[in-house]
Amino acid sequence: MAAAPAAAGSGAGRGRRAAATVAAWGGWGGRPRPGNILLQLRQGQLTGRGLVRAVQFTETFLAERDKQSKWSGIPQLLLKLYAASHLHSDFIECQNILKLLVEILMRPTISIRGQKLKISDEMSKDCLSILYNTCVCTEGVTKRLAEKNDFVIFLFTLMTSKKTFLQTATLIEDILGVKKEMIRLDEVPNLSSLVSNFDQQQLANFCRILAVTISEMDTGNDDKHTLLAKNAQQKKSLSLGPSAAEINQAALLSIPGFVERLCKLATRKVSESTGTASFLQELEEWYTWLDNALVLDALMRVANEESEHNQASIVFPPPGASEENGLPHTSTRTQLPQSMKIMHEIMYKLEVLYVLCVLLMGRQRNQVHRMIAEFKLIPGLNNLFDKLIWRKHSASALVLHGHNQNCDCSPDITLKIQFLRLLQSFSDHHENKYLLLNNQELNELSAISLKANIPEVEAVLNTDRSLVCDGKRGLLTRLLQVMKKEPAESSFRFWQARAVESFLRGTTSYADQMFLLKRGLLEHILYCIVDSECKSRDVLQSYFDLLGELMKFNVDAFKRFNKYINTDAKFQVFLKQINSSLVDSNMLVRCVTLSLDRFENQVDMKVAEVLSECRLLAYISQVPTQMSFLFRLINIIHVQTLTQENVSCLNTSLVILMLARRKERLPLYLRLLQRMEHSKKYPGFLLNNFHNLLRFWQQHYLHKDKDSTCLENSSCISFSYWKETVSILLNPDRQSPSALVSYIEEPYMDIDRDFTEE
């Protein structure tokens, strides 16, 4: 399973990109050396030595050139830095030289007699290149720069110039990647004006920095992902106020037109992104996006294409020729091939979609939802689905050096996963999810409700038809089509199932379920679980969760299930998959248990027929089956190991006991648990553990409105009944037949353990 693209990075990949930057820079003035760069690049690729020449200038020569060109001593400093940057050299000397370079860079902020000194963009660009390359090559430099908060803030001001934008953005990204405390964007001078003046390409690059500044910092310790730790952190955060990430999100959303521009970037076509940028302008941005090896491969491909067309080559103008944005013009015939342009656009969209996804999950979620809908992000992505997002790979499609098209590191792969994560965040418990359909599909939902003689979903009626998808198919239908064609070993299966499941989450909608059932989704899921015998735990969990939401309370879904699982052999394979990991399958167990309870209380011939024929319902209805699930669900979790992933096991065990309580069978179930404890030779172990889990449940859910609402909506059991059942189970009266303590023998009682995490 692949995660979202890293917001910032350093290390080997960065080092290779730095080498490419040095190679292109090639001299003090920032101008590429004359000659055919492709030949030099090819030679560097073959020899592994790159293009960096040894420093052979004398100090006298550099001093004279410095005096003539007013370079503020940078050449001499660079010579000293070169001499002091070898292995086992004096690191303190390196730091002192870098300090002088930073001072040169920050001179415009120093006032002398009311007037600010000026520094040329070329000099700033050179200083930035030196600092960046030193950060890459010398351990510890980036961390030292990150400690200087005023310097980091100042770097943002250098992005006002197009000549220094890329160098500044790259340096900021690396610095923020190692900075212990997150920077606050509201401290950046004139942030709104700065961002508003970015062109679309600059804004896309800026999103790489934003990805670091708006994401909550991760401790990187698995223990800190427990619910105990998260609850403790939330209590601490309440006393401290909004986090830096939340402040930064609010600062960005206050910038006029910010979200609208992101939506335009995310949905623009490749043809719309082609402007007047020269070959080298586009290439320079590649240095910031991809590692050096890929740049070389791409250039070699360009060279081969040029060779096939009359052996044309890139010719640089002589010194003094006209330049724009700090880059020389090239032959008008020289352009990046279409495959590279597509990959360039993919890399842009990766960062933009990530930022939108984070904003969708933040405190201002409803505001972001409203803007994303208004600016037609979903219809725009629908129009790009076939040609860019889920385009067919060609043999020449660009991938990262040393990888293949199916590798999760591939930009194509990462874009797809980021797109699916965005859909998941967009649809999850929000009525705007119906924007994933087109007008014809919305009419289909209405027809399903009419035929079933049930009220139409209010959110469907309230959907603004001018904001939905256009074309023959909506985005959800397109996703279903590619989902059913996905190979068994595909890493996309997990994310596809999560995105579709989010459309079904919340209050159960019969029309939504039937819309997906009519498109063969249930049969596809069962094929993957049973016939392909999927081995991936992540994929199985996502498919079980989706199957549960698809079948819950739906008689037609259970009929389809029984029609597909039509032999005992198939049913045994299905049960084997369920029982292999209850952490993965417990949501399906919960949904089937809830459905069984509802069906048993309905008087309907169709329901009666399903109850009598469905293998799955018959299996779940048996008390020994329910007790087996209940015992294992309680046994595999403990307060100290509860996470957002496995807490569902606790809630599923509660659902089984709540339904038993409705039938006045709660004492029977508790007595059976006690017997099972004794049969396992561990008296008191299970019930003590369950007691502690329920105490934590009270602390966790009674103070979190969102979680409690989700429990109520997904189970159709009022949250007050959840609370009452937990209170009854935790009753300290040993005479109560429904209290856990009544079934724990005194010598084995251990219910007052303190599980509070400091």
Side-chain angles (χ1 to χ4, degrees), residues 155-196:
L155 286 177
F156 279 85
T157 66
L158 294 182
M159 287 194 288
T160 56
S161 169
K162 287 188 176 182
K163 290 184 178 181
T164 59
F165 176 86
L166 279 175
Q167 287 80 4
T168 307
T170 306
L171 182 59
I172 292 176
E173 184 187 349
D174 271 18
I175 290 175
L176 295 184
V178 300
K179 192 170 176 61
K180 292 183 178 180
E181 295 182 357
M182 187 177 293
I183 193 171
R184 286 183 48 165
L185 292 178
D186 58 351
E187 296 178 355
V188 176
N190 303 314
L191 175 69
S192 180
S193 175
L194 175 71
V195 176
S196 297

Tab-separated table of all heavy atoms in Angstrom, residues 155-196:
chain	number	residue	atom	x	y	z
A	155	LEU	N	13.450	33.898	3.472
A	155	LEU	CA	13.521	33.185	2.203
A	155	LEU	C	12.216	33.303	1.410
A	155	LEU	O	12.234	33.363	0.177
A	155	LEU	CB	13.858	31.710	2.439
A	155	LEU	CG	15.309	31.388	2.821
A	155	LEU	CD1	15.459	29.899	3.083
A	155	LEU	CD2	16.275	31.841	1.736
A	156	PHE	N	11.101	33.335	2.108
A	156	PHE	CA	9.815	33.457	1.415
A	156	PHE	C	9.756	34.739	0.588
A	156	PHE	O	9.152	34.772	-0.484
A	156	PHE	CB	8.657	33.426	2.415
A	156	PHE	CG	8.274	32.051	2.869
A	156	PHE	CD1	8.949	31.443	3.924
A	156	PHE	CD2	7.255	31.344	2.247
A	156	PHE	CE1	8.602	30.171	4.353
A	156	PHE	CE2	6.904	30.069	2.660
A	156	PHE	CZ	7.582	29.482	3.716
A	157	THR	N	10.386	35.809	1.073
A	157	THR	CA	10.342	37.084	0.354
A	157	THR	C	11.113	37.017	-0.956
A	157	THR	O	10.848	37.805	-1.872
A	157	THR	CB	10.912	38.217	1.227
A	157	THR	OG1	12.310	37.997	1.462
A	157	THR	CG2	10.188	38.282	2.569
A	158	LEU	N	12.078	36.085	-1.065
A	158	LEU	CA	12.842	35.962	-2.302
A	158	LEU	C	12.028	35.321	-3.420
A	158	LEU	O	12.439	35.350	-4.582
A	158	LEU	CB	14.110	35.138	-2.055
A	158	LEU	CG	15.159	35.755	-1.119
A	158	LEU	CD1	16.367	34.838	-1.013
A	158	LEU	CD2	15.589	37.133	-1.615
A	159	MET	N	10.889	34.748	-3.082
A	159	MET	CA	10.063	34.116	-4.106
A	159	MET	C	9.251	35.128	-4.906
A	159	MET	O	8.525	34.758	-5.825
A	159	MET	CB	9.133	33.069	-3.476
A	159	MET	CG	9.874	31.812	-3.046
A	159	MET	SD	8.795	30.416	-2.668
A	159	MET	CE	8.088	30.982	-1.142
A	160	THR	N	9.365	36.389	-4.564
A	160	THR	CA	8.673	37.412	-5.357
A	160	THR	C	9.308	37.571	-6.730
A	160	THR	O	8.670	38.029	-7.669
A	160	THR	CB	8.710	38.771	-4.627
A	160	THR	OG1	10.076	39.113	-4.357
A	160	THR	CG2	7.943	38.701	-3.317
A	161	SER	N	10.580	37.191	-6.854
A	161	SER	CA	11.277	37.286	-8.133
A	161	SER	C	11.233	35.943	-8.853
A	161	SER	O	11.551	34.903	-8.274
A	161	SER	CB	12.740	37.695	-7.910
A	161	SER	OG	13.485	37.555	-9.101
A	162	LYS	N	10.848	35.972	-10.127
A	162	LYS	CA	10.811	34.736	-10.909
A	162	LYS	C	12.209	34.154	-11.103
A	162	LYS	O	12.380	32.953	-11.243
A	162	LYS	CB	10.160	34.992	-12.263
A	162	LYS	CG	8.656	35.204	-12.186
A	162	LYS	CD	8.038	35.250	-13.563
A	162	LYS	CE	6.510	35.371	-13.471
A	162	LYS	NZ	5.880	35.368	-14.809
A	163	LYS	N	13.236	35.031	-11.102
A	163	LYS	CA	14.595	34.554	-11.323
A	163	LYS	C	15.085	33.680	-10.171
A	163	LYS	O	15.884	32.775	-10.377
A	163	LYS	CB	15.536	35.742	-11.512
A	163	LYS	CG	15.334	36.494	-12.826
A	163	LYS	CD	16.369	37.584	-12.983
A	163	LYS	CE	16.220	38.311	-14.316
A	163	LYS	NZ	17.243	39.363	-14.488
A	164	THR	N	14.634	33.972	-8.964
A	164	THR	CA	15.126	33.231	-7.794
A	164	THR	C	14.070	32.298	-7.208
A	164	THR	O	14.323	31.647	-6.200
A	164	THR	CB	15.564	34.219	-6.694
A	164	THR	OG1	14.448	35.052	-6.329
A	164	THR	CG2	16.714	35.081	-7.169
A	165	PHE	N	12.894	32.214	-7.833
A	165	PHE	CA	11.789	31.459	-7.234
A	165	PHE	C	12.127	29.991	-7.024
A	165	PHE	O	11.985	29.450	-5.924
A	165	PHE	CB	10.528	31.580	-8.092
A	165	PHE	CG	9.391	30.751	-7.575
A	165	PHE	CD1	8.546	31.246	-6.598
A	165	PHE	CD2	9.173	29.459	-8.041
A	165	PHE	CE1	7.513	30.481	-6.094
A	165	PHE	CE2	8.138	28.682	-7.548
A	165	PHE	CZ	7.302	29.200	-6.573
A	166	LEU	N	12.588	29.311	-8.085
A	166	LEU	CA	12.814	27.869	-7.986
A	166	LEU	C	13.912	27.523	-6.985
A	166	LEU	O	13.773	26.590	-6.195
A	166	LEU	CB	13.153	27.297	-9.357
A	166	LEU	CG	11.962	27.023	-10.279
A	166	LEU	CD1	12.446	26.582	-11.646
A	166	LEU	CD2	11.046	25.978	-9.677
A	167	GLN	N	15.007	28.284	-7.017
A	167	GLN	CA	16.095	28.024	-6.080
A	167	GLN	C	15.619	28.238	-4.636
A	167	GLN	O	15.946	27.472	-3.738
A	167	GLN	CB	17.288	28.936	-6.377
A	167	GLN	CG	18.071	28.566	-7.623
A	167	GLN	CD	17.402	29.050	-8.897
A	167	GLN	OE1	16.375	29.726	-8.861
A	167	GLN	NE2	17.988	28.704	-10.032
A	168	THR	N	14.835	29.296	-4.437
A	168	THR	CA	14.328	29.590	-3.090
A	168	THR	C	13.372	28.506	-2.617
A	168	THR	O	13.466	28.022	-1.485
A	168	THR	CB	13.605	30.952	-3.079
A	168	THR	OG1	14.459	31.960	-3.623
A	168	THR	CG2	13.226	31.336	-1.665
A	169	ALA	N	12.438	28.125	-3.487
A	169	ALA	CA	11.446	27.117	-3.111
A	169	ALA	C	12.109	25.795	-2.752
A	169	ALA	O	11.720	25.126	-1.785
A	169	ALA	CB	10.440	26.926	-4.251
A	170	THR	N	13.126	25.407	-3.522
A	170	THR	CA	13.816	24.146	-3.261
A	170	THR	C	14.549	24.176	-1.927
A	170	THR	O	14.519	23.213	-1.157
A	170	THR	CB	14.812	23.841	-4.392
A	170	THR	OG1	14.133	23.890	-5.640
A	170	THR	CG2	15.436	22.475	-4.217
A	171	LEU	N	15.198	25.298	-1.640
A	171	LEU	CA	15.914	25.428	-0.367
A	171	LEU	C	14.942	25.433	0.808
A	171	LEU	O	15.166	24.771	1.825
A	171	LEU	CB	16.755	26.712	-0.371
A	171	LEU	CG	17.610	26.965	0.879
A	171	LEU	CD1	18.584	25.813	1.110
A	171	LEU	CD2	18.357	28.288	0.757
A	172	ILE	N	13.834	26.175	0.680
A	172	ILE	CA	12.830	26.214	1.749
A	172	ILE	C	12.283	24.822	2.020
A	172	ILE	O	12.119	24.409	3.170
A	172	ILE	CB	11.677	27.174	1.383
A	172	ILE	CG1	12.167	28.621	1.372
A	172	ILE	CG2	10.521	27.032	2.374
A	172	ILE	CD1	11.114	29.620	0.914
A	173	GLU	N	12.006	24.092	0.943
A	173	GLU	CA	11.436	22.749	1.100
A	173	GLU	C	12.363	21.849	1.908
A	173	GLU	O	11.915	21.121	2.801
A	173	GLU	CB	11.178	22.146	-0.280
A	173	GLU	CG	10.496	20.791	-0.227
A	173	GLU	CD	10.412	20.146	-1.591
A	173	GLU	OE1	10.691	20.829	-2.595
A	173	GLU	OE2	10.089	18.954	-1.650
A	174	ASP	N	13.647	21.888	1.610
A	174	ASP	CA	14.602	21.052	2.342
A	174	ASP	C	14.731	21.499	3.797
A	174	ASP	O	14.837	20.669	4.700
A	174	ASP	CB	15.965	21.097	1.653
A	174	ASP	CG	16.086	20.024	0.584
A	174	ASP	OD1	15.031	19.511	0.166
A	174	ASP	OD2	17.210	19.710	0.168
A	175	ILE	N	14.733	22.789	4.015
A	175	ILE	CA	14.859	23.306	5.388
A	175	ILE	C	13.645	22.919	6.221
A	175	ILE	O	13.770	22.453	7.357
A	175	ILE	CB	15.047	24.836	5.373
A	175	ILE	CG1	16.439	25.185	4.822
A	175	ILE	CG2	14.873	25.419	6.771
A	175	ILE	CD1	16.672	26.677	4.661
A	176	LEU	N	12.452	23.089	5.656
A	176	LEU	CA	11.240	22.743	6.401
A	176	LEU	C	11.153	21.246	6.672
A	176	LEU	O	10.531	20.816	7.649
A	176	LEU	CB	9.993	23.201	5.630
A	176	LEU	CG	9.817	24.708	5.456
A	176	LEU	CD1	8.494	25.013	4.763
A	176	LEU	CD2	9.873	25.424	6.808
A	177	GLY	N	11.797	20.455	5.797
A	177	GLY	CA	11.773	19.010	5.984
A	177	GLY	C	12.500	18.547	7.232
A	177	GLY	O	12.240	17.458	7.738
A	178	VAL	N	13.417	19.363	7.768
A	178	VAL	CA	14.175	18.974	8.963
A	178	VAL	C	13.869	19.884	10.149
A	178	VAL	O	14.374	19.653	11.248
A	178	VAL	CB	15.696	18.996	8.689
A	178	VAL	CG1	16.053	18.045	7.569
A	178	VAL	CG2	16.184	20.408	8.348
A	179	LYS	N	13.044	20.898	9.941
A	179	LYS	CA	12.745	21.850	11.009
A	179	LYS	C	11.887	21.186	12.076
A	179	LYS	O	10.864	20.564	11.776
A	179	LYS	CB	12.026	23.071	10.428
A	179	LYS	CG	11.929	24.249	11.387
A	179	LYS	CD	11.421	25.475	10.658
A	179	LYS	CE	11.206	26.649	11.605
A	179	LYS	NZ	12.455	27.055	12.277
A	180	LYS	N	12.294	21.292	13.335
A	180	LYS	CA	11.582	20.620	14.415
A	180	LYS	C	10.217	21.242	14.672
A	180	LYS	O	9.248	20.536	14.946
A	180	LYS	CB	12.430	20.659	15.700
A	180	LYS	CG	13.707	19.820	15.621
A	180	LYS	CD	14.457	19.851	16.934
A	180	LYS	CE	15.705	18.983	16.864
A	180	LYS	NZ	16.464	18.996	18.140
A	181	GLU	N	10.132	22.544	14.598
A	181	GLU	CA	8.864	23.231	14.831
A	181	GLU	C	8.337	23.765	13.508
A	181	GLU	O	9.083	24.335	12.711
A	181	GLU	CB	9.048	24.378	15.828
A	181	GLU	CG	9.434	23.911	17.229
A	181	GLU	CD	9.560	25.077	18.184
A	181	GLU	OE1	9.410	26.244	17.730
A	181	GLU	OE2	9.816	24.842	19.372
A	182	MET	N	7.052	23.598	13.293
A	182	MET	CA	6.467	24.032	12.031
A	182	MET	C	6.426	25.557	11.949
A	182	MET	O	6.087	26.245	12.912
A	182	MET	CB	5.047	23.473	11.894
A	182	MET	CG	4.429	23.722	10.540
A	182	MET	SD	2.792	22.960	10.384
A	182	MET	CE	3.227	21.227	10.444
A	183	ILE	N	6.775	26.068	10.785
A	183	ILE	CA	6.741	27.508	10.564
A	183	ILE	C	5.294	27.985	10.459
A	183	ILE	O	4.404	27.240	10.043
A	183	ILE	CB	7.516	27.867	9.274
A	183	ILE	CG1	7.762	29.368	9.211
A	183	ILE	CG2	6.790	27.376	8.039
A	183	ILE	CD1	8.703	29.756	8.095
A	184	ARG	N	5.048	29.213	10.875
A	184	ARG	CA	3.698	29.788	10.772
A	184	ARG	C	3.645	30.731	9.577
A	184	ARG	O	4.391	31.706	9.492
A	184	ARG	CB	3.335	30.521	12.062
A	184	ARG	CG	3.023	29.584	13.199
A	184	ARG	CD	2.604	30.301	14.457
A	184	ARG	NE	1.592	31.320	14.231
A	184	ARG	CZ	0.870	31.881	15.202
A	184	ARG	NH1	1.059	31.498	16.452
A	184	ARG	NH2	-0.014	32.807	14.934
A	185	LEU	N	2.743	30.442	8.661
A	185	LEU	CA	2.639	31.236	7.438
A	185	LEU	C	2.135	32.651	7.706
A	185	LEU	O	2.403	33.554	6.911
A	185	LEU	CB	1.710	30.542	6.443
A	185	LEU	CG	2.229	29.220	5.856
A	185	LEU	CD1	1.191	28.612	4.926
A	185	LEU	CD2	3.540	29.427	5.107
A	186	ASP	N	1.421	32.854	8.809
A	186	ASP	CA	0.937	34.211	9.095
A	186	ASP	C	2.068	35.149	9.506
A	186	ASP	O	1.866	36.364	9.627
A	186	ASP	CB	-0.160	34.196	10.170
A	186	ASP	CG	0.305	33.564	11.475
A	186	ASP	OD1	1.410	32.986	11.504
A	186	ASP	OD2	-0.443	33.647	12.465
A	187	GLU	N	3.274	34.599	9.705
A	187	GLU	CA	4.439	35.434	10.005
A	187	GLU	C	5.186	35.854	8.741
A	187	GLU	O	6.102	36.671	8.801
A	187	GLU	CB	5.391	34.673	10.937
A	187	GLU	CG	4.794	34.370	12.310
A	187	GLU	CD	5.742	33.572	13.185
A	187	GLU	OE1	6.817	33.182	12.679
A	187	GLU	OE2	5.412	33.333	14.362
A	188	VAL	N	4.821	35.279	7.597
A	188	VAL	CA	5.457	35.653	6.329
A	188	VAL	C	4.929	37.016	5.895
A	188	VAL	O	3.712	37.201	5.774
A	188	VAL	CB	5.160	34.605	5.238
A	188	VAL	CG1	5.732	35.049	3.896
A	188	VAL	CG2	5.732	33.255	5.639
A	189	PRO	N	5.804	37.990	5.653
A	189	PRO	CA	5.343	39.328	5.258
A	189	PRO	C	4.540	39.290	3.958
A	189	PRO	O	4.945	38.669	2.977
A	189	PRO	CB	6.658	40.114	5.066
A	189	PRO	CG	7.681	39.357	5.841
A	189	PRO	CD	7.275	37.922	5.778
A	190	ASN	N	3.378	39.916	3.972
A	190	ASN	CA	2.544	40.056	2.766
A	190	ASN	C	2.271	38.709	2.087
A	190	ASN	O	2.393	38.573	0.869
A	190	ASN	CB	3.212	41.011	1.765
A	190	ASN	CG	3.495	42.369	2.362
A	190	ASN	OD1	2.633	42.959	3.023
A	190	ASN	ND2	4.704	42.870	2.156
A	191	LEU	N	1.902	37.719	2.884
A	191	LEU	CA	1.668	36.374	2.344
A	191	LEU	C	0.602	36.387	1.258
A	191	LEU	O	0.775	35.778	0.192
A	191	LEU	CB	1.248	35.421	3.466
A	191	LEU	CG	0.866	34.008	3.014
A	191	LEU	CD1	2.100	33.256	2.511
A	191	LEU	CD2	0.205	33.237	4.159
A	192	SER	N	-0.494	37.089	1.499
A	192	SER	CA	-1.593	37.104	0.534
A	192	SER	C	-1.145	37.673	-0.806
A	192	SER	O	-1.435	37.110	-1.867
A	192	SER	CB	-2.765	37.920	1.086
A	192	SER	OG	-3.831	37.951	0.171
A	193	SER	N	-0.398	38.774	-0.766
A	193	SER	CA	0.096	39.389	-1.991
A	193	SER	C	1.099	38.487	-2.692
A	193	SER	O	1.092	38.348	-3.922
A	193	SER	CB	0.740	40.743	-1.672
A	193	SER	OG	1.334	41.302	-2.818
A	194	LEU	N	1.979	37.855	-1.897
A	194	LEU	CA	2.996	36.958	-2.455
A	194	LEU	C	2.343	35.831	-3.244
A	194	LEU	O	2.679	35.588	-4.410
A	194	LEU	CB	3.852	36.381	-1.325
A	194	LEU	CG	4.895	35.329	-1.722
A	194	LEU	CD1	6.027	35.971	-2.492
A	194	LEU	CD2	5.425	34.605	-0.480
A	195	VAL	N	1.382	35.147	-2.623
A	195	VAL	CA	0.740	33.996	-3.259
A	195	VAL	C	-0.131	34.432	-4.432
A	195	VAL	O	-0.162	33.774	-5.478
A	195	VAL	CB	-0.082	33.200	-2.227
A	195	VAL	CG1	-0.825	32.047	-2.900
A	195	VAL	CG2	0.823	32.668	-1.114
A	196	SER	N	-0.810	35.539	-4.278
A	196	SER	CA	-1.707	36.010	-5.339
A	196	SER	C	-0.941	36.374	-6.607
A	196	SER	O	-1.485	36.280	-7.711
A	196	SER	CB	-2.509	37.216	-4.852
A	196	SER	OG	-3.340	36.858	-3.764
